[in-house]
Amino acid sequence: MISDASIDRICELTCRKMPSLSALRDVVARDLRALVRDVVDVRAGRSIVLETQRCPQLYLVETGWVFRSRSMAGGQRQIVNYALPGDFLCVDSVLFKSSSFDLFARTNVTLYRIDAPATPDMFERHPGLAAAVSWTAGQDESVLAERVVSLGRRDSLAKLAHQLCELIERLSVIGLMPGNIIETPLNQEDFADILGISVIHVNRTFRRLHEENIAEYRKGQIEILDRRRLAEIAGFDAAYLHLH
């Protein structure tokens, strides 16, 4: 049985990144207590749901990183977004009957499995969950729009700088980046699949950031040496994340 303390802890984490829902925190917690069924552990590299597959429940990430990606016939993939602790998964599947993305665990992941009521019932009887799902869908759309801009208009240096700035914002709001070190499982191939460039380009771009004393990539972590300069290169405005 999942304790009330565990529900309160994950609810607090979720509401940190949804400031507009702060007044509904108790309602969100009440709905989670009613609808969370169990905790699911997924090993790194395993799929959670496949594109076009029906996923009749929601998941809430407690620990770990999850990729949202689209695969191509030739074996290539585009990582569209990633989920961190406190993020909901399968919102699109619940609303539209099938998943728009492949979801797979980049690291070992712990998930809360949530019974998803029919949409009308969710809005009528579980307004806290409905508000959180609506906020998640809105943020996902905003992030996707920013990805389109990066893929279509930013050069490699600006793309990478922008992605690093986003990582800083998203990790900071949930307390996972207290200093200047981004602890991340993302390797250079992952960055290539996020940014739509080759691994060679990623390597060269990280080298340039290092040579200009802006950021340094090491396996498992990235040290941010000049956050102001990184944001200037990216033309970064965090408003699209709706975290503040």
Side-chain angles (χ1 to χ4, degrees):
M1 183 175 179
I2 302 171
S3 68
D4 285 349
S6 296
I7 296 294
D8 287 341
R9 186 168 58 251
I10 193 64
C11 182
E12 174 65 28
L13 189 63
T14 298
C15 288
R16 282 187 204 173
K17 59 182 66 184
M18 301 180 180
S20 60
L21 300 187
S22 58
L24 293 177
R25 185 191 177 285
D26 291 342
V27 183
V28 174
R30 183 197 68 194
D31 289 346
L32 290 178
R33 288 191 190 98
L35 296 171
V36 169
R37 289 295 167 257
D38 55 18
V39 176
V40 179
D41 292 315
V42 183
R43 298 182 65 179
R46 299 292 297 272
S47 292
I48 298 167
V49 63
L50 298 176
E51 183 186 344
T52 73
Q53 193 175 56
R54 176 79 170 108
C55 184
Q57 62 268 317
L58 291 164
Y59 293 103
L60 183 54
V61 182
E62 182 183 38
T63 61
W65 294 58
V66 176
F67 280 169
R68 294 185 179 102
S69 68
R70 297 287 291 269
S71 299
M72 302 178 68
Q76 295 174 305
R77 67 174 179 172
Q78 177 68 49
I79 298 172
V80 178
N81 200 354
Y82 48 87
L84 299 171
D87 286 338
F88 284 91
L89 302 176
C90 298
V91 167
D92 58 332
S93 178
V94 167
L95 294 175
F96 303 120
K97 307 303 182 186
S98 64
S99 178
S100 304
F101 308 100
D102 293 326
L103 300 179
F104 69 96
R106 180 61 180 84
T107 65
N108 291 338
V109 174
T110 300
L111 308 170
Y112 286 85
R113 186 173 64 87
I114 303 169
D115 280 351
T119 303
D121 191 45
M122 185 191 304
F123 279 87
E124 182 176 347
R125 299 182 57 193
H126 302 285
L129 180 63
V133 165
S134 298
W135 189 95
T136 298
Q139 192 204 44
D140 285 348
E141 182 179 3
S142 185
V143 169
L144 181 58
E146 199 66 34
R147 292 284 185 274
V148 171
V149 173
S150 274
L151 291 169
R153 294 299 178 185
R154 292 187 176 110
D155 63 25
S156 297
L157 184 63
K159 285 180 182 181
L160 181 55
H162 197 278
Q163 189 56 53
L164 294 180
C165 288
E166 181 181 301
L167 273 170
I168 291 168
E169 291 289 327
R170 292 181 63 182
L171 291 171
S172 295
V173 79
I174 55 175
L176 293 182
M177 190 178 167
N180 292 321
I181 303 294
I182 299 174
E183 300 285 352
T184 176
L186 303 182
N187 58 32
Q188 293 195 12
E189 183 177 357
D190 294 329
F191 277 106
D193 289 342
I194 293 171
L195 304 177
I197 59 179
S198 69
V199 177
I200 293 174
H201 264 83
V202 171
N203 183 273
R204 289 173 178 168
T205 307
F206 266 120
R207 190 183 311 146
R208 181 174 171 185
L209 290 175
H210 172 67
E211 290 169 352
E212 297 185 19
N213 293 314
I214 298 169
E216 182 175 356
Y217 173 87
R218 297 186 289 271
K219 185 177 181 180
Q221 63 178 217
I222 301 163
E223 184 176 4
I224 306 302
L225 305 171
D226 190 336
R227 192 175 298 195
R228 182 190 60 81
R229 179 68 181 131
L230 190 72
E232 285 180 355
I233 292 170
F236 187 75
D237 180 353
Y240 74 97
L241 294 170
H242 306 292
L243 296 175
H244 305 290

